[in-house]
Amino acid sequence: MDFNFRLKMSAKNIIGNVTSNIKILHLEDIDSDAQLVLQYLKNKVENIHITQVVNEHDYVKELSNNSYDFIFATYELAEYDAISALKKAIQLIENPVFIFITHAMNEDQILAAIENGANDYVCKKSLNRLFPIIIRNIREKERYAKQQDKKNDLSNKHEEFNDNEFYFCSLFHSLHEDAILIGRDYSILDINNEIEESTGLSVKVHLRMAQI
């Protein structure tokens, strides 16, 4: 099976499950380059919407007022620093997916981009790398969301357990009869307040005596 066909099928399986458009903010001041990226992605999948901005003002405005799944930015901006654009995205958005799409980046620029939080970079002459990166990041987002759901579920169960434990302890110590809590190994785990009142000895003393 052809690799491009497999990739397209994979994209349908992954992106096809997204009910709304995948929204991309593209910081690019060369219209022809922005159109190149748009046409490339439109040929891959239909439910993608790209908003192009060309300067810092419009870029910050879009970041502040709208939600985007991906942020693309060229490194060769005429009136704005690309790393500053990256830092602004991180400042305004929680865990942004930021991808540089550029003509060329040297090793130092790539290192600076990654160290400052960029997810990846793509050369404009090699846009075929872009779509697999999008798919990979969608998968990572789904995986992260599932992990968060599991953590929240465990947290809720823990809170429920604590609530049940508190209810049991309150009930145990409010009994008007002498009561002893026995463990599976028949050791005494707790003695209720009624025993303390009837004997005049503290719960701690009773537990200590039971251990002797």
Side-chain angles (χ1 to χ4, degrees), residues 24-82:
I24 299 171
L25 179 61
H26 192 181
L27 178 59
E28 173 62 78
D29 52 7
I30 301 177
D31 289 342
S32 59
D33 287 352
Q35 285 299 314
L36 194 66
V37 172
L38 175 62
Q39 290 305 316
Y40 166 78
L41 290 178
K42 286 291 185 181
N43 289 334
K44 294 294 182 181
V45 65
E46 295 178 357
N47 59 333
I48 286 184
H49 177 76
I50 300 180
T51 299
Q52 180 192 356
V53 290
V54 300
N55 56 53
E56 179 182 2
H57 177 269
D58 292 342
Y59 174 71
V60 174
K61 181 180 177 180
E62 286 295 326
L63 286 179
S64 302
N65 298 331
N66 294 290
S67 175
Y68 290 95
D69 301 296
F70 296 87
I71 301 171
F72 298 164
T74 184
Y75 206 87
E76 305 92 356
L77 292 165
E79 299 180 1
Y80 192 28
D81 174 54

Side-chain angles (χ1 to χ4, degrees), residues 57-113:
H57 177 269
D58 292 342
Y59 174 71
V60 174
K61 181 180 177 180
E62 286 295 326
L63 286 179
S64 302
N65 298 331
N66 294 290
S67 175
Y68 290 95
D69 301 296
F70 296 87
I71 301 171
F72 298 164
T74 184
Y75 206 87
E76 305 92 356
L77 292 165
E79 299 180 1
Y80 192 28
D81 174 54
I83 296 297
S84 295
L86 170 59
K87 291 180 178 179
K88 180 60 69 173
I90 294 172
Q91 176 186 339
L92 296 176
I93 300 176
E94 182 179 0
N95 298 322
V97 180
F98 194 103
I99 301 170
F100 279 111
I101 303 178
T102 184
H103 282 295
M105 291 177 68
N106 60 43
E107 187 174 333
D108 290 338
Q109 290 172 331
I110 295 171
L111 185 61

Side-chain angles (χ1 to χ4, degrees), residues 115-173:
E115 287 180 346
N116 280 281
N119 296 80
D120 217 318
Y121 76 97
V122 175
C123 182
K124 291 178 180 178
K125 293 181 180 180
S126 303
L127 285 180
N128 58 314
R129 287 191 61 243
L130 181 58
F131 196 51
I133 290 173
I134 290 175
I135 293 176
R136 186 188 73 228
N137 278 280
I138 290 175
R139 283 175 171 161
E140 289 177 355
K141 277 189 173 183
E142 290 177 346
R143 191 180 304 114
Y144 177 77
K146 289 179 180 178
Q147 290 174 347
Q148 291 301 113
D149 288 341
K150 287 182 180 179
K151 287 182 180 179
N152 292 335
D153 186 49
L154 288 173
S155 177
N156 291 336
K157 288 181 178 178
H158 182 69
E159 289 178 4
E160 182 180 349
F161 174 80
N162 287 338
D163 290 341
N164 291 337
E165 183 181 25
F166 176 78
Y167 173 76
F168 175 80
C169 289
S170 298
L171 180 64
F172 177 74
H173 286 286

